[in-house]
Amino acid sequence: QVQLVESGGGLVQPGGSLRLSCAASGSIDRINIMGWYRQAPGKERELVATITNGGNTKNYADSVKGRFTISGDNVRKTTDLQMNSLKPEDTAVYYCYVNCRIGLIDRNYWGQGTQVTVSS
């Protein structure tokens, strides 16, 4: 069984910064992709950022490019999301995501979510 534990959400003023962290535990043979998604009230869950290929490939939603930075460590099975210049429209529940190899099968796992609120 794989578990993802997130931390770092909270309330911040517009223009401020937050750092989200996620740690995976369990019998993981290989991390394929780690990333972050978010879901605002009344909206569908959307991709924020992903990191693959041992950290050599990073992908960002257009709305966060230049403001958010994803990092990851496949050995420690962790990923962080540094969020700068936060805007009210970044308010959402942020979910950590992992696609990993267990035995012969690649599986998807999600964290429980952490609330990020950007408001003055």
Side-chain angles (χ1 to χ4, degrees), residues 4-18:
L4 303 180
V5 178
E6 301 144 337
S7 61
L11 172 65
V12 64
Q13 292 186 342
S17 298
L18 281 175

Side-chain angles (χ1 to χ4, degrees), residues 15-67:
S17 298
L18 281 175
R19 187 177 184 87
L20 305 183
S21 297
C22 175
S25 62
S27 301
I28 298 173
D29 294 311
R30 184 186 71 220
I31 298 285
N32 296 321
I33 304 170
M34 299 191 80
W36 294 88
Y37 285 68
R38 68 186 181 186
Q39 187 166 18
K43 295 187 177 181
E44 294 186 352
R45 189 173 297 188
E46 63 176 3
L47 179 145
V48 176
T50 59
I51 184 168
T52 62
N53 194 21
N56 292 325
T57 303
K58 300 179 182 181
N59 181 45
Y60 296 94
D62 288 341
S63 59
V64 306
K65 283 180 180 177
R67 301 187 298 121

Side-chain angles (χ1 to χ4, degrees), residues 3-120:
Q3 289 188 324
L4 303 180
V5 178
E6 301 144 337
S7 61
L11 172 65
V12 64
Q13 292 186 342
S17 298
L18 281 175
R19 187 177 184 87
L20 305 183
S21 297
C22 175
S25 62
S27 301
I28 298 173
D29 294 311
R30 184 186 71 220
I31 298 285
N32 296 321
I33 304 170
M34 299 191 80
W36 294 88
Y37 285 68
R38 68 186 181 186
Q39 187 166 18
K43 295 187 177 181
E44 294 186 352
R45 189 173 297 188
E46 63 176 3
L47 179 145
V48 176
T50 59
I51 184 168
T52 62
N53 194 21
N56 292 325
T57 303
K58 300 179 182 181
N59 181 45
Y60 296 94
D62 288 341
S63 59
V64 306
K65 283 180 180 177
R67 301 187 298 121
F68 290 11
T69 302
I70 189 170
S71 59
D73 187 325
N74 279 8
V75 174
R76 296 175 58 222
K77 302 175 188 174
T78 60
T79 181
D80 293 335
L81 184 68
Q82 177 65 41
M83 305 184 293
N84 298 328
S85 302
L86 282 160
K87 304 175 181 180
E89 50 263 44
D90 294 318
T91 296
V93 177
Y94 283 69
Y95 295 91
C96 179
Y97 162 78
V98 168
N99 176 273
C100 58
R101 173 64 59 92
I102 299 176
L104 300 177
I105 301 174
D106 290 338
R107 299 178 185 270
N108 297 320
Y109 294 92
W110 296 89
Q112 79 283 1
T114 185
Q115 177 70 46
V116 172
T117 302
V118 185
S119 175
S120 55

